[in-house]
Amino acid sequence: MRPLRFLCGSAALALALPVLSPAGQAAAAVPVSSVYLQNYATGLNVADSGGTVAAHNPKGNEDHQQWTPVAVDGGYQLRNSDESGTCLSRSGTSAVTASCGAAGTVWTITAGADSTYTVSAPGTSQYLTGSSSDSSAVALGPAGDPARWYLTPVSYATASMPSADTRTLDQVTFLTSHNAFANGVDGNFASFPVNLFPNQNYGISRQLADGVRGFMLDDYTVSGQAVLCHNSCDGVSSPVPLATDLKRMVDFLKANPGQFVTVFLEDYASSDVLKASLASVSGLSDVLYRPDQEGVATKGWPTMADLSARGKQLLIFSDRTRASDTANGWATRDTFGVMYQREWTVENYWSMGGGLGDSDWSCYSRWGTGRPLTVDSAAFHPLFVMNHFRDYTISGTASTDNGKLLNRAQNFCTPAARKKPTYLAVDRYDLGSPTPLSTVGTLNTYILAPGQ
């Protein structure tokens, strides 16, 4: 296990942060504290890679990705925060690093739309331009979205969590169990040897009682019914029907009207099979929340108090795409209340590595640079699903990883997404110090301060 990374642990450190100014006012200030140069189009960060400047997956303080803008004669230098005397520079159309006293280390930084900036060679129309793939060189090129950059603060300023009657769904963080069904308690979930590595230690009812509010489930079709299996249903005797676990959740929500649950389907069933399974769950339609029918994409997420008052307590996502369902000639899933996750959320890559040994803390989109974690708009903020688990579950590893969850959430994934995680997805949520539920509690004491 690698040791816990040490960063400035408080997410509440106030910085001189960029704010997009209204029309007619002065342009946004360039921040004076450490930032990530994060590409608007791809979400990738500028990193010093042995003198070459490359686009890398966001990786906190581990990869020479932090830069400090310093005002100098003629513009700004961008000084690498952990390589003393090293600055972002240029050689022809290539971006490189060089001694901060060298020619080519002064840049013009100009505020633009949507809290972005351009970084250009002074007196030219040559802009620092990002690449669409990790480890590809950053260069100088023409204006356009690849030449737009967030100066994302390394440590975000925060504000207190809004009151219970005003906080919105996207401001809250929920404990989420990865492969919640693979628990060895509710029933069979996989054949040998996968069944030797349950992701959770307790059944769905206990998970609900313990405070889990997000459930990742893998549904397959067996004998015309949606059932829950891990990797495959081959050789799995009597897997748990999806409807059984949904009924457990509906019953819990009916008995606890102030609670909210989200289901994430790794979805291998056809639309017809999934629709029939949902229709068989008594009371599900009463609590099902439909953001597509409430204008969330233009008005933003509702308050938790409003959802509670209306009894809208269950949100269901599928990882399938609208295009794939249409290509198969199936009804789109949102016609019966299942949302396409890629239209409403962003999600980081699902694995930190194998079950033993070192882990990869980089935080980047599961769905590639075409939908980076930074996707956002003024009206609608996609929910951020933060995965924090390995390829397979070993209790000692899960315990260690879960104890580092807060550090990764605050110092790696929040700046990578430019938003606080909405869902923290872990294996063995019962393990770790602090526990994942404690981490969720900490994240629910604040929101990111506006204008960053």
Side-chain angles (χ1 to χ4, degrees):
M1 277 304 163
R2 70 179 63 180
L4 181 65
R5 288 85 167 163
F6 179 78
L7 291 174
C8 183
S10 173
L13 291 178
L15 305 174
L17 296 165
V19 178
L20 187 62
S21 300
Q25 296 187 11
V30 175
V32 297
S33 296
S34 292
V35 298
Y36 299 101
L37 275 72
Q38 188 169 25
N39 193 261
Y40 171 81
T42 67
L44 302 181
N45 285 349
V46 167
D48 178 15
S49 183
T52 298
V53 175
H56 282 187
N57 292 324
K59 203 171 185 179
N61 66 336
E62 294 189 341
D63 192 38
H64 308 308
Q65 296 184 4
Q66 298 178 3
W67 307 85
T68 303
V70 177
V72 296
D73 288 344
Y76 289 87
Q77 286 183 330
L78 288 159
R79 299 178 181 175
N80 194 274
S81 300
D82 63 356
E83 296 178 307
S84 179
T86 298
C87 278
L88 182 68
S89 187
R90 53 193 177 273
S91 176
T93 59
S94 297
V96 296
T97 54
S99 168
C100 290
T105 59
V106 178
W107 300 86
T108 298
I109 302 178
T110 306
D114 303 322
S115 298
T116 64
Y117 293 78
T118 57
V119 179
S120 61
T124 75
S125 57
Q126 290 294 295
Y127 297 89
L128 191 70
T129 304
S131 170
S132 61
S133 60
D134 181 44
S135 299
S136 294
V138 173
L140 275 73
D145 282 350
R148 297 172 65 188
W149 300 89
Y150 295 115
L151 302 186
T152 298
V154 168
S155 295
Y156 271 86
T158 65
S160 296
M161 173 66 79
S163 62
D165 60 331
T166 62
R167 66 189 59 165
T168 54
L169 177 61
D170 56 314
Q171 293 174 326
V172 180
T173 300
F174 301 93
L175 177 59
T176 301
S177 55
H178 170 236
N179 287 343
F181 66 96
N183 52 60
V185 175
D186 292 330
N188 297 319
F189 63 90
S191 57
F192 182 85
V194 176
N195 61 355
L196 299 179
F197 300 95
N199 297 92
Q200 306 301 335
N201 198 41
Y202 300 117
I204 296 296
S205 295
R206 171 69 182 269
Q207 292 180 39
L208 286 162
D210 285 349
V212 176
R213 294 294 179 265
F215 298 85
M216 293 182 168
L217 308 175
D218 299 359
D219 64 303
Y220 292 80
T221 301
V222 173
S223 301
Q225 182 182 32
V227 299
L228 302 174
C229 302
H230 194 191
N231 293 346
S232 167
C233 287
D234 292 345
V236 181
S237 61
S238 303
V240 176
L242 170 63
T244 297
D245 276 351
L246 290 178
K247 179 59 175 170
R248 290 178 171 127
M249 297 173 197
V250 170
D251 289 347
F252 173 84
L253 293 171
K254 293 275 190 175
N256 297 273
Q259 299 300 313
F260 189 84
V261 162
T262 305
V263 170
F264 299 90
L265 296 177
E266 186 173 314
D267 202 354
Y268 299 98
S270 70
S271 291
D272 287 347
V273 168
L274 182 59
K275 181 179 180 180
S277 290
L278 268 61
S280 71
V281 180
S282 174
L284 186 147
S285 61
D286 299 333
V287 299
L288 188 62
Y289 172 51
R290 298 285 304 270
D292 58 325
Q293 295 182 345
E294 299 190 4
V296 166
T298 56
K299 297 188 300 185
W301 296 100
T303 65
M304 299 303 297
D306 171 67
L307 291 169
S308 177
R310 295 188 289 126
K312 297 305 178 184
Q313 301 170 266
L314 178 63
L315 177 57
I316 304 178
F317 289 117
S318 169
D319 71 343
R320 294 192 69 91
T321 65
R322 184 183 301 275
S324 68
D325 280 348
T326 300
N328 281 315
W330 297 340
T332 58
R333 289 163 204 255
D334 53 0
T335 58
F336 52 90
V338 175
M339 302 296 102
Y340 291 102
Q341 190 184 337
R342 275 173 252 201
E343 298 177 3
W344 299 97
T345 78
V346 293
E347 180 176 348
N348 67 309
Y349 182 67
W350 59 271
S351 174
M352 296 164 62
L356 291 171
D358 215 354
S359 59
D360 181 0
W361 277 32
S362 56
C363 208
Y364 58 98
S365 177
R366 177 179 185 174
W367 299 315
T369 55
R371 187 170 177 81
L373 298 181
T374 51
V375 166
D376 202 7
S377 71
F380 166 63
H381 304 302
L383 307 177
F384 174 24
V385 182
M386 179 186 152
N387 294 313
H388 185 80
F389 47 82
R390 307 287 189 106
D391 291 355
Y392 54 94
T393 307
I394 295 175
S395 60
T397 303
S399 181
T400 300
D401 287 346
N402 289 349
K404 301 175 182 179
L405 177 60
L406 181 62
N407 188 11
R408 187 171 182 234
Q410 290 184 325
N411 297 317
F412 286 71
C413 290
T414 290
R418 295 176 54 83
K419 55 181 74 75
K420 189 178 74 168
T422 317
Y423 300 95
L424 289 182
V426 298
D427 286 335
R428 292 300 305 274
Y429 72 87
D430 55 308
L431 299 178
S433 180
T435 65
L437 188 60
S438 175
T439 292
V440 168
T442 298
L443 295 179
N444 280 331
T445 63
Y446 68 85
I447 59 173
L448 302 187
Q452 301 184 55

mmCIF file of all heavy atoms in Angstrom, residues 164-169 257-258 260 289 294 296 299-313:
data_model
loop_
_atom_site.group_PDB
_atom_site.id
_atom_site.type_symbol
_atom_site.label_atom_id
_atom_site.label_comp_id
_atom_site.label_asym_id
_atom_site.label_seq_id
_atom_site.Cartn_x
_atom_site.Cartn_y
_atom_site.Cartn_z
ATOM 1 N N ALA A 164 -31.585 22.882 5.670
ATOM 2 C CA ALA A 164 -32.271 21.664 5.237
ATOM 3 C C ALA A 164 -33.414 21.964 4.273
ATOM 4 O O ALA A 164 -33.750 21.131 3.429
ATOM 5 C CB ALA A 164 -32.795 20.897 6.450
ATOM 6 N N ASP A 165 -34.018 23.131 4.368
ATOM 7 C CA ASP A 165 -35.160 23.431 3.497
ATOM 8 C C ASP A 165 -34.744 24.051 2.171
ATOM 9 O O ASP A 165 -35.593 24.239 1.290
ATOM 10 C CB ASP A 165 -36.152 24.354 4.221
ATOM 11 C CG ASP A 165 -35.529 25.676 4.622
ATOM 12 O OD1 ASP A 165 -34.309 25.713 4.862
ATOM 13 O OD2 ASP A 165 -36.265 26.674 4.714
ATOM 14 N N THR A 166 -33.453 24.358 1.990
ATOM 15 C CA THR A 166 -33.022 24.989 0.738
ATOM 16 C C THR A 166 -31.964 24.213 -0.029
ATOM 17 O O THR A 166 -31.724 24.494 -1.201
ATOM 18 C CB THR A 166 -32.483 26.408 1.004
ATOM 19 O OG1 THR A 166 -31.327 26.328 1.853
ATOM 20 C CG2 THR A 166 -33.547 27.289 1.646
ATOM 21 N N ARG A 167 -31.306 23.238 0.594
ATOM 22 C CA ARG A 167 -30.246 22.510 -0.114
ATOM 23 C C ARG A 167 -30.832 21.687 -1.246
ATOM 24 O O ARG A 167 -31.910 21.098 -1.126
ATOM 25 C CB ARG A 167 -29.456 21.631 0.843
ATOM 26 C CG ARG A 167 -30.228 20.478 1.449
ATOM 27 C CD ARG A 167 -29.457 19.778 2.547
ATOM 28 N NE ARG A 167 -29.100 20.668 3.651
ATOM 29 C CZ ARG A 167 -28.681 20.254 4.842
ATOM 30 N NH1 ARG A 167 -28.572 18.944 5.088
ATOM 31 N NH2 ARG A 167 -28.391 21.123 5.766
ATOM 32 N N THR A 168 -30.126 21.660 -2.364
ATOM 33 C CA THR A 168 -30.592 20.956 -3.555
ATOM 34 C C THR A 168 -29.909 19.599 -3.687
ATOM 35 O O THR A 168 -28.878 19.336 -3.052
ATOM 36 C CB THR A 168 -30.333 21.798 -4.812
ATOM 37 O OG1 THR A 168 -28.947 22.161 -4.859
ATOM 38 C CG2 THR A 168 -31.193 23.056 -4.809
ATOM 39 N N LEU A 169 -30.474 18.762 -4.527
ATOM 40 C CA LEU A 169 -29.979 17.394 -4.678
ATOM 41 C C LEU A 169 -28.504 17.368 -5.033
ATOM 42 O O LEU A 169 -27.736 16.540 -4.525
ATOM 43 C CB LEU A 169 -30.799 16.668 -5.742
ATOM 44 C CG LEU A 169 -30.392 15.239 -6.099
ATOM 45 C CD1 LEU A 169 -30.479 14.325 -4.887
ATOM 46 C CD2 LEU A 169 -31.255 14.701 -7.233
ATOM 47 N N PRO A 257 -40.138 8.618 5.059
ATOM 48 C CA PRO A 257 -40.496 9.572 4.012
ATOM 49 C C PRO A 257 -39.480 10.667 3.763
ATOM 50 O O PRO A 257 -39.517 11.308 2.716
ATOM 51 C CB PRO A 257 -41.835 10.142 4.499
ATOM 52 C CG PRO A 257 -41.896 9.829 5.950
ATOM 53 C CD PRO A 257 -41.143 8.571 6.136
ATOM 54 N N GLY A 258 -38.546 10.921 4.659
ATOM 55 C CA GLY A 258 -37.556 11.970 4.418
ATOM 56 C C GLY A 258 -36.318 11.507 3.681
ATOM 57 O O GLY A 258 -35.431 12.314 3.411
ATOM 58 N N PHE A 260 -33.914 9.547 0.582
ATOM 59 C CA PHE A 260 -33.811 9.542 -0.876
ATOM 60 C C PHE A 260 -32.792 8.482 -1.280
ATOM 61 O O PHE A 260 -31.711 8.401 -0.695
ATOM 62 C CB PHE A 260 -33.372 10.917 -1.377
ATOM 63 C CG PHE A 260 -33.449 11.071 -2.873
ATOM 64 C CD1 PHE A 260 -34.645 11.423 -3.482
ATOM 65 C CD2 PHE A 260 -32.333 10.868 -3.664
ATOM 66 C CE1 PHE A 260 -34.720 11.572 -4.858
ATOM 67 C CE2 PHE A 260 -32.394 11.004 -5.039
ATOM 68 C CZ PHE A 260 -33.600 11.362 -5.639
ATOM 69 N N TYR A 289 -38.808 9.288 -8.954
ATOM 70 C CA TYR A 289 -38.542 10.683 -9.316
ATOM 71 C C TYR A 289 -38.144 10.752 -10.782
ATOM 72 O O TYR A 289 -37.283 9.999 -11.240
ATOM 73 C CB TYR A 289 -37.447 11.259 -8.427
ATOM 74 C CG TYR A 289 -36.984 12.629 -8.844
ATOM 75 C CD1 TYR A 289 -37.898 13.659 -9.073
ATOM 76 C CD2 TYR A 289 -35.625 12.902 -9.016
ATOM 77 C CE1 TYR A 289 -37.469 14.908 -9.469
ATOM 78 C CE2 TYR A 289 -35.189 14.152 -9.403
ATOM 79 C CZ TYR A 289 -36.122 15.159 -9.632
ATOM 80 O OH TYR A 289 -35.699 16.396 -10.031
ATOM 81 N N GLU A 294 -39.524 17.240 -15.198
ATOM 82 C CA GLU A 294 -39.625 18.402 -14.321
ATOM 83 C C GLU A 294 -38.703 19.543 -14.729
ATOM 84 O O GLU A 294 -38.495 20.483 -13.955
ATOM 85 C CB GLU A 294 -39.347 17.989 -12.878
ATOM 86 C CG GLU A 294 -40.356 16.965 -12.373
ATOM 87 C CD GLU A 294 -40.255 16.721 -10.878
ATOM 88 O OE1 GLU A 294 -39.452 17.409 -10.207
ATOM 89 O OE2 GLU A 294 -40.994 15.872 -10.374
ATOM 90 N N VAL A 296 -35.468 19.730 -15.129
ATOM 91 C CA VAL A 296 -34.211 19.871 -14.398
ATOM 92 C C VAL A 296 -33.083 20.354 -15.304
ATOM 93 O O VAL A 296 -32.230 21.142 -14.893
ATOM 94 C CB VAL A 296 -33.841 18.535 -13.720
ATOM 95 C CG1 VAL A 296 -32.395 18.537 -13.235
ATOM 96 C CG2 VAL A 296 -34.779 18.257 -12.559
ATOM 97 N N LYS A 299 -33.793 24.101 -15.380
ATOM 98 C CA LYS A 299 -34.069 24.802 -14.128
ATOM 99 C C LYS A 299 -33.145 24.392 -12.997
ATOM 100 O O LYS A 299 -33.063 25.085 -11.979
ATOM 101 C CB LYS A 299 -35.514 24.552 -13.682
ATOM 102 C CG LYS A 299 -36.572 25.085 -14.635
ATOM 103 C CD LYS A 299 -37.966 24.967 -14.047
ATOM 104 C CE LYS A 299 -38.358 23.540 -13.741
ATOM 105 N NZ LYS A 299 -39.757 23.412 -13.282
ATOM 106 N N GLY A 300 -32.447 23.269 -13.133
ATOM 107 C CA GLY A 300 -31.600 22.782 -12.063
ATOM 108 C C GLY A 300 -32.342 21.804 -11.167
ATOM 109 O O GLY A 300 -33.553 21.598 -11.279
ATOM 110 N N TRP A 301 -31.597 21.195 -10.255
ATOM 111 C CA TRP A 301 -32.156 20.168 -9.378
ATOM 112 C C TRP A 301 -33.050 20.774 -8.308
ATOM 113 O O TRP A 301 -32.801 21.889 -7.834
ATOM 114 C CB TRP A 301 -31.029 19.379 -8.714
ATOM 115 C CG TRP A 301 -30.198 18.609 -9.681
ATOM 116 C CD1 TRP A 301 -28.979 18.965 -10.184
ATOM 117 C CD2 TRP A 301 -30.537 17.361 -10.297
ATOM 118 N NE1 TRP A 301 -28.527 18.018 -11.066
ATOM 119 C CE2 TRP A 301 -29.462 17.013 -11.157
ATOM 120 C CE3 TRP A 301 -31.627 16.503 -10.208
ATOM 121 C CZ2 TRP A 301 -29.458 15.846 -11.915
ATOM 122 C CZ3 TRP A 301 -31.621 15.330 -10.967
ATOM 123 C CH2 TRP A 301 -30.549 15.014 -11.798
ATOM 124 N N PRO A 302 -34.080 20.050 -7.885
ATOM 125 C CA PRO A 302 -34.965 20.551 -6.827
ATOM 126 C C PRO A 302 -34.305 20.452 -5.462
ATOM 127 O O PRO A 302 -33.251 19.827 -5.296
ATOM 128 C CB PRO A 302 -36.170 19.608 -6.915
ATOM 129 C CG PRO A 302 -35.576 18.313 -7.385
ATOM 130 C CD PRO A 302 -34.475 18.703 -8.347
ATOM 131 N N THR A 303 -34.943 21.052 -4.479
ATOM 132 C CA THR A 303 -34.452 20.910 -3.108
ATOM 133 C C THR A 303 -34.819 19.536 -2.569
ATOM 134 O O THR A 303 -35.801 18.913 -2.993
ATOM 135 C CB THR A 303 -35.047 21.981 -2.188
ATOM 136 O OG1 THR A 303 -36.464 21.787 -2.086
ATOM 137 C CG2 THR A 303 -34.758 23.384 -2.714
ATOM 138 N N MET A 304 -34.035 19.086 -1.619
ATOM 139 C CA MET A 304 -34.346 17.830 -0.963
ATOM 140 C C MET A 304 -35.672 17.923 -0.212
ATOM 141 O O MET A 304 -36.430 16.952 -0.136
ATOM 142 C CB MET A 304 -33.223 17.442 0.001
ATOM 143 C CG MET A 304 -31.866 17.239 -0.654
ATOM 144 S SD MET A 304 -31.870 15.988 -1.964
ATOM 145 C CE MET A 304 -32.304 14.514 -1.040
ATOM 146 N N ALA A 305 -35.961 19.102 0.315
ATOM 147 C CA ALA A 305 -37.218 19.293 1.031
ATOM 148 C C ALA A 305 -38.408 19.150 0.100
ATOM 149 O O ALA A 305 -39.439 18.567 0.469
ATOM 150 C CB ALA A 305 -37.231 20.658 1.710
ATOM 151 N N ASP A 306 -38.268 19.657 -1.124
ATOM 152 C CA ASP A 306 -39.361 19.542 -2.101
ATOM 153 C C ASP A 306 -39.578 18.079 -2.482
ATOM 154 O O ASP A 306 -40.726 17.608 -2.549
ATOM 155 C CB ASP A 306 -39.024 20.363 -3.343
ATOM 156 C CG ASP A 306 -40.002 20.123 -4.485
ATOM 157 O OD1 ASP A 306 -41.177 20.502 -4.341
ATOM 158 O OD2 ASP A 306 -39.591 19.532 -5.506
ATOM 159 N N LEU A 307 -38.502 17.350 -2.739
ATOM 160 C CA LEU A 307 -38.634 15.930 -3.070
ATOM 161 C C LEU A 307 -39.300 15.170 -1.929
ATOM 162 O O LEU A 307 -40.166 14.321 -2.149
ATOM 163 C CB LEU A 307 -37.255 15.335 -3.367
ATOM 164 C CG LEU A 307 -36.576 15.818 -4.654
ATOM 165 C CD1 LEU A 307 -35.122 15.359 -4.690
ATOM 166 C CD2 LEU A 307 -37.319 15.313 -5.883
ATOM 167 N N SER A 308 -38.904 15.491 -0.708
ATOM 168 C CA SER A 308 -39.486 14.832 0.465
ATOM 169 C C SER A 308 -40.969 15.132 0.582
ATOM 170 O O SER A 308 -41.784 14.233 0.833
ATOM 171 C CB SER A 308 -38.751 15.275 1.724
ATOM 172 O OG SER A 308 -39.334 14.718 2.879
ATOM 173 N N ALA A 309 -41.337 16.392 0.389
ATOM 174 C CA ALA A 309 -42.737 16.787 0.535
ATOM 175 C C ALA A 309 -43.628 16.105 -0.491
ATOM 176 O O ALA A 309 -44.793 15.800 -0.212
ATOM 177 C CB ALA A 309 -42.860 18.304 0.417
ATOM 178 N N ARG A 310 -43.074 15.844 -1.668
ATOM 179 C CA ARG A 310 -43.860 15.216 -2.733
ATOM 180 C C ARG A 310 -43.723 13.701 -2.743
ATOM 181 O O ARG A 310 -44.344 13.032 -3.578
ATOM 182 C CB ARG A 310 -43.443 15.788 -4.087
ATOM 183 C CG ARG A 310 -43.754 17.272 -4.251
ATOM 184 C CD ARG A 310 -43.515 17.743 -5.662
ATOM 185 N NE ARG A 310 -42.109 17.801 -6.021
ATOM 186 C CZ ARG A 310 -41.573 17.215 -7.080
ATOM 187 N NH1 ARG A 310 -42.322 16.473 -7.885
ATOM 188 N NH2 ARG A 310 -40.295 17.342 -7.348
ATOM 189 N N GLY A 311 -42.901 13.169 -1.858
ATOM 190 C CA GLY A 311 -42.717 11.720 -1.805
ATOM 191 C C GLY A 311 -41.973 11.169 -3.000
ATOM 192 O O GLY A 311 -42.086 9.979 -3.313
ATOM 193 N N LYS A 312 -41.182 12.010 -3.661
ATOM 194 C CA LYS A 312 -40.367 11.562 -4.796
ATOM 195 C C LYS A 312 -38.991 11.199 -4.260
ATOM 196 O O LYS A 312 -38.141 12.046 -4.031
ATOM 197 C CB LYS A 312 -40.295 12.651 -5.869
ATOM 198 C CG LYS A 312 -41.656 12.976 -6.472
ATOM 199 C CD LYS A 312 -42.334 11.717 -7.028
ATOM 200 C CE LYS A 312 -43.703 11.971 -7.599
ATOM 201 N NZ LYS A 312 -44.379 10.717 -8.041
ATOM 202 N N GLN A 313 -38.781 9.912 -4.038
ATOM 203 C CA GLN A 313 -37.665 9.460 -3.215
ATOM 204 C C GLN A 313 -36.712 8.491 -3.899
ATOM 205 O O GLN A 313 -35.712 8.108 -3.302
ATOM 206 C CB GLN A 313 -38.208 8.763 -1.951
ATOM 207 C CG GLN A 313 -39.092 9.618 -1.077
ATOM 208 C CD GLN A 313 -39.768 8.773 -0.012
ATOM 209 O OE1 GLN A 313 -40.891 8.309 -0.180
ATOM 210 N NE2 GLN A 313 -39.062 8.542 1.092
#
